[in-house]
Amino acid sequence: MIVEEIMKTDVASLQPEDTIESAIQLMREKKIKHIPITNEKSEVIGIVSDRDVKDGTPSIFDKDSSAPELKNPLKYIMKTDVITGHPLDFVEEVAALFYEHHISCLPIVRENKLIGIITETDLLHTLIQLTGANQPGSQIEVKVPHRAGILYDVAGIIRRHNSNILSVLVYPDKNDEAYKILVFRVRTMNPMNVIEDLKKEGYDVLWPNMPGMSS
């Protein structure tokens, strides 16, 4: 999956000479927490978050303040070391950027011009879609040897029961490098027959661990 498939293209942006007050109004109107700051060529030169706005305005408990700070231009509070992405970047690479750089949004540019934006919420929604967690079904976790063809073999057992596989995740067994954990989400509310067959074939089913079933 690439960024172009999940990014928002209706991007609200401001320019460095716009006021902090205008940023507050735009955030309230659009219900957003980040505003890319662009120049006259639509190139991203900064970004302002709701936290930047809070840090750049008086406390709500300061009754004596007339809030002249609200008229200050955004160039005084915007972050200029902006990390950007490209619409053809892979979503998993973007997720790594979020984690590595502790960011919560990523402006997307093409030929240096702002064309979209991705937020943490977009990534979480994509994860839910990819794992099928938003669809009715059951999750089955199987510990398997780390060898070629094992995924095909286990999927074949599930296929024999006409259970549609919604998603598959593979991650290493943290206790034994010779094994992997396969996580299947299947479109069935009763996976008991599938689990029985997996165990008969000698596979270690970690989840669900059904009471009374043979191990």
Side-chain angles (χ1 to χ4, degrees):
M1 182 175 287
I2 58 175
V3 165
E4 194 170 41
E5 298 178 56
I6 70 168
M7 70 182 187
K8 291 184 174 65
T9 55
D10 182 19
V11 190
S13 64
L14 291 172
Q15 295 195 333
E17 297 301 328
D18 289 322
T19 64
I20 294 176
E21 185 176 27
S22 66
I24 294 173
Q25 292 173 346
L26 186 59
M27 286 179 177
R28 287 174 178 170
E29 177 186 340
K30 300 290 186 179
K31 297 180 180 179
I32 56 178
K33 294 183 178 181
H34 304 87
I35 302 176
I37 308 302
T38 60
N39 59 19
E40 64 280 357
K41 298 179 182 179
S42 295
E43 298 169 333
V44 178
I45 59 173
I47 195 161
V48 169
S49 69
D50 56 347
R51 180 174 296 181
D52 297 324
V53 168
K54 290 175 184 176
D55 291 343
T57 54
S59 168
I60 59 173
F61 300 107
D62 187 357
K63 298 180 180 179
D64 297 329
S65 174
S66 58
E69 293 89 347
L70 295 177
K71 303 302 180 183
N72 286 335
L74 293 171
K75 64 182 180 181
Y76 291 146
I77 66 168
M78 70 182 189
K79 299 287 193 306
T80 56
D81 53 341
V82 186
I83 300 172
T84 60
H86 188 274
L88 297 183
D89 288 340
F90 290 110
V91 171
E92 58 265 34
E93 294 173 347
V94 167
L97 278 177
F98 273 63
Y99 177 78
E100 180 181 349
H101 296 281
H102 305 286
I103 58 177
S104 50
C105 83
L106 187 74
I108 307 301
V109 300
R110 179 187 285 128
E111 297 179 353
N112 295 324
K113 297 185 183 300
L114 178 68
I115 63 166
I117 194 168
I118 286 181
T119 67
E120 287 177 317
T121 302
D122 299 322
L123 287 179
L124 286 172
H125 179 67
T126 301
L127 176 63
I128 291 170
Q129 289 183 310
L130 290 176
T131 58
N134 59 333
Q135 301 183 50
S138 301
Q139 183 168 304
I140 302 174
E141 295 186 17
V142 188
K143 181 178 179 180
V144 298
H146 186 194
R147 63 172 174 81
I150 194 70
L151 177 58
Y152 178 82
D153 293 342
V154 176
I157 296 173
I158 298 174
R159 187 170 59 249
R160 290 205 302 258
H161 292 271
N162 296 317
S163 296
N164 184 28
I165 298 175
L166 300 174
S167 67
V168 183
L169 297 177
V170 183
Y171 63 90
D173 185 336
K174 61 183 179 181
N175 298 317
D176 192 340
E177 294 181 356
Y179 287 86
K180 295 280 188 180
I181 309 298
L182 305 181
V183 183
F184 294 90
R185 188 159 186 86
V186 295
R187 194 189 294 276
T188 177
M189 300 309 294
N190 184 7
M192 188 172 294
N193 290 334
V194 175
I195 294 169
E196 277 286 10
D197 275 7
L198 287 168
K199 291 185 175 183
K200 286 178 182 178
E201 295 288 339
Y203 293 108
D204 185 4
V205 179
L206 304 180
W207 181 267
N209 189 0
M210 309 293 285
M213 294 188 65
S214 58
S215 58

